[in-house]
Amino acid sequence: MILIKSKKEIDFIRESNKIVAETLQLVKHNAKPGVTTLELDKMAEDWIRSNGGVPAFKGYKQYGTIDFPGTICASVDEEVVHGIPGNRILKEGEIFSVDIGVLKNGYYGDAALSIAIGEISEDKKLLMKVTEESLYKGIEVAVVGNRIGDIGAAVQQYVESFGFSVVRDLCGHGVGIKLHEDPQVHNFGKKGTGAIIKNGMTIAIEPMINMGTYKVEILGDGWTVVTADRKPSAHFEHSIAIFDGKTEILSVS
Ligand code: MF3
Ligand code: CO
């Protein structure tokens, strides 16, 4: 069931997403060669808590594995999403993907971005650029009267025109009262399919785009999603609201 939010609820979801966006910028600013992902995780947690929020991913339960231990998901190069922050030291040339969720006043925000660590290769630059642009291609068609499937179709068409691939096993989602609500927002598919987009919907769109195969695997820690061919991946995510006939990106500072 897709939850329809009131203006007041969207105001709260915007507030949580603003903290998410600020925290992403803080991490981006500090993500340099020599820094560990755990140091960035601590910085993020402090910022969120000092703004009255709670890290939404910390303690997240997933059947059969440990609860997610971090504030941020920290995924490097072939790690697509859900990397666990730790002692890994960031190195020049890596793609560092950071995903952050915040809970405040009972409402969730969720967004992500990929960061270039120092100078990165031209093909990694293109992968990051195309992934970010594909998110905006998806947002562009997330308007009243269109369908949820239009989003994935727009993302997929754009990404594949560059020869990159769309991860199939993970998707975007409704967001706000829970971290993950209906509908599932796939990053691939057919135009004209899925639920009709209506005023009051709040959704997170999050293309995960691979340089090589779209296939992924999960590492032994039960969380880290990696590309099957170990080629690099990028991830960008925004939470958006559709209200009063307009589409607004909520995860901005
Ligand atoms: N943005 C990601 C998602 O929507 C982050 C979830 S991480 C988890 O799936 F720890 F909460 F699972
Ligand atoms: Co999400």
Side-chain angles (χ1 to χ4, degrees), residues 9 62 68 90 98 102 105 120 131 181 201 238 251:
E9 288 179 305
Q62 186 171 278
F68 193 78
L90 293 176
V98 181
V102 166
N105 302 312
I120 63 170
T131 304
E181 300 175 358
M201 285 187 184
H238 272 309
S251 41

Side-chain angles (χ1 to χ4, degrees), residues 57 99 110-111 171-173 175 179-180 204-206 235 237:
F57 300 164
D99 194 342
D110 183 10
C171 59
H173 48 92
V175 64
L179 177 60
H180 295 130
I205 304 177
E206 50 180 316
H235 179 213
E237 174 178 23

Side-chain angles (χ1 to χ4, degrees), residues 4-5 10 144 197-201 242-246:
I4 296 298
K5 281 86 174 185
I10 292 173
V144 173
I197 297 170
K198 296 196 172 114
N199 284 311
M201 285 187 184
I242 293 95
F243 196 76
D244 217 1
K246 290 187 277 290

